[in-house]
Amino acid sequence: MTGGMLVSGAIAALFASALPAQQSPSAITDPPPDKIVIEVATVNGSGCPAGTAAVAVSQDNTAFTVTYSDYLAQVGGGAPATAFRKNCQLNLIVHVPQGFTYAIASADYRGFASLQPGASGTEKASYYFQGSPSTAFRSHTFEGPYDDNWQATDQTDWAQLVWAPCGVQRNFNINTELRVNAGTSDPAQTNFMTMDSTDGDISTIYHMAWKECPGR
């Protein structure tokens, strides 16, 4: 995937930057019916080489999905020394209808892990608006023995959602990471964790919330 890719639909930004009091959005509303455009400014990282990540949005403007096809962290069994950690950063430009703002209510991550006894795997994510001094972090760890699909959810209470500033264009950044720790497992055995699958795709889904800005 290259910079400048446009995706029609809706997106959200999240738990990252405080909103000035005079710009606080009004009551929770339904998703705006107008067309919303997501421009993928950049996609970088060892977990998402060029052409291996894609962004799509739901028709009802309530969620968007990031799909990976080469997101794999592994350790042991002859794996490269640097392969224990993989990451991906998405920098997204969000164009929403005038008078609306957005937040991420939750994010669902999925993949597969094969971890020997004594090993562990961790999925991490962080979210922030460009120029914001604060970043929200979430982390989920899976302990071996484990040989199955995994799922993790980052969720924020409605009262604690942080909304994108009204009337200001701020890029939204999503950073994800997979890390595998061999621990006390047999070094001859491979431990791995993916955010992809044997058929090529595993989706990470971000669920959105919408509000109307003041004065709309």
Side-chain angles (χ1 to χ4, degrees):
M1 178 166 48
T2 59
M5 172 182 175
L6 294 180
V7 183
S8 297
I11 187 180
L14 132 105
F15 349 73
S17 164
L19 201 63
Q22 67 270 23
Q23 291 185 326
S24 295
S26 59
I28 295 169
T29 187
D30 292 331
D34 299 347
K35 180 179 179 180
I36 297 156
V37 176
I38 304 168
E39 181 178 352
V40 182
T42 59
V43 52
N44 293 302
S46 56
C48 52
T52 67
V55 180
V57 295
S58 64
Q59 293 184 351
D60 62 0
N61 291 353
T62 61
F64 70 97
T65 302
V66 182
T67 302
Y68 303 96
S69 60
D70 192 21
Y71 204 152
L72 167 69
Q74 57 183 329
V75 68
T82 59
F84 75 98
R85 176 187 177 275
K86 295 294 179 71
N87 75 295
C88 183
Q89 175 170 314
L90 296 172
N91 183 281
L92 305 174
I93 303 171
V94 184
H95 304 276
V96 300
Q98 185 175 1
F100 286 90
T101 186
Y102 47 86
I104 287 186
S106 65
D108 298 324
Y109 296 90
R110 297 180 178 89
F112 186 87
S114 179
L115 305 170
Q116 306 300 317
S120 63
T122 300
E123 177 271 326
K124 295 181 179 180
S126 63
Y127 316 82
Y128 65 95
F129 291 113
Q130 187 174 15
S132 170
S134 58
T135 302
F137 295 92
R138 301 291 187 272
S139 178
H140 305 272
T141 298
F142 300 84
E143 303 287 346
Y146 193 102
D147 189 31
D148 203 350
N149 296 314
W150 62 267
Q151 179 172 340
T153 297
D154 298 342
Q155 191 160 4
T156 299
D157 293 337
W158 283 100
Q160 297 177 332
L161 289 175
V162 177
W163 303 86
C166 288
V168 178
Q169 181 66 60
R170 297 282 179 85
N171 287 16
F172 180 55
N173 290 273
I174 304 170
N175 295 307
T176 57
E177 174 184 322
L178 293 180
R179 184 185 295 262
V180 179
N181 183 357
T184 59
S185 66
D186 182 353
Q189 300 296 316
T190 301
N191 299 283
F192 69 89
M193 188 172 184
T194 75
M195 213 178 287
D196 69 356
S197 69
T198 54
D199 62 2
D201 296 319
I202 279 291
S203 298
T204 297
I205 301 174
Y206 299 85
H207 303 275
M208 296 166 293
W210 293 93
K211 286 189 178 183
E212 293 184 4
C213 291
R216 182 178 181 272

